[in-house]
Amino acid sequence: MIIDASEEARQQASAVLSQLGHEPEGASNADEAWTLMSDGMPDVLLVGDWVGGKLDRKSFVRRVQGIHRARPKLIQWLEEDSLYDNPPPGEELQVQVAGIPANPTEQGFDGILLKPLDAVQVVLKAEKLGLK
């Protein structure tokens, strides 16, 4: 599932994922995503930017983490300018959330992908996370 306020970003990511054999649903915010998830749990949640709705990013991540069976992988989906300079070899990318340096795993995410999404990025991250 792709969560992002931008219809254009959701369509671009959906096109890439479709080329790889997936049929992702899209949601413009966490509330919409949570409603869609009641019909079936996705394997992966690609969490971009959103505005509006009752659930903020932290609340949504906590709610997803509370799912014990078949919890989806949470992937933070960021603009490249959200990242610091290239990390030293072997270190994870560091991100800023609201201008504060943060490790995505400390925020409850399993990994990071950058906008715009591309197939190589998706395949490499899927392999790293043990996904198909």
Side-chain angles (χ1 to χ4, degrees):
M1 179 179 294
I2 303 162
I3 308 168
D4 198 278
S6 166
E7 177 69 26
E8 182 180 337
R10 289 194 313 270
Q11 287 176 351
Q12 186 273 331
S14 183
V16 169
L17 294 170
S18 294
Q19 289 173 353
L20 296 170
H22 302 281
E23 296 179 21
E25 290 186 275
S28 62
N29 62 45
D31 296 329
E32 186 179 335
W34 191 254
T35 299
L36 290 170
M37 288 167 59
S38 68
D39 293 335
M41 197 59 60
D43 294 329
V44 176
L45 289 169
L46 187 59
V47 181
D49 301 315
W50 72 79
V51 291
K54 295 177 184 175
L55 286 172
D56 62 13
R57 180 179 300 271
K58 190 173 184 178
S59 300
F60 179 71
V61 169
R62 250 193 254 125
R63 190 177 278 192
V64 171
Q65 287 176 324
I67 300 168
H68 295 287
R69 291 183 292 152
R71 180 181 85 75
K73 295 287 185 184
L74 281 158
I75 306 296
Q76 196 169 25
W77 191 30
L78 301 168
E79 298 287 344
E80 191 167 6
D81 61 6
S82 298
L83 301 173
Y84 284 129
D85 294 330
N86 293 328
E91 289 190 24
E92 274 292 318
L93 294 172
Q94 295 296 307
V95 299
Q96 290 187 11
V97 177
I100 301 168
N103 181 322
T105 55
E106 290 173 1
Q107 297 175 42
F109 289 95
D110 299 299
I112 296 173
L113 288 173
L114 300 179
K115 293 180 181 180
L117 200 59
D118 66 61
V120 172
Q121 221 189 144
V122 171
V123 170
L124 291 173
K125 185 58 69 176
E127 287 176 359
K128 185 174 180 176
L129 295 175
L131 300 168
K132 296 180 183 181

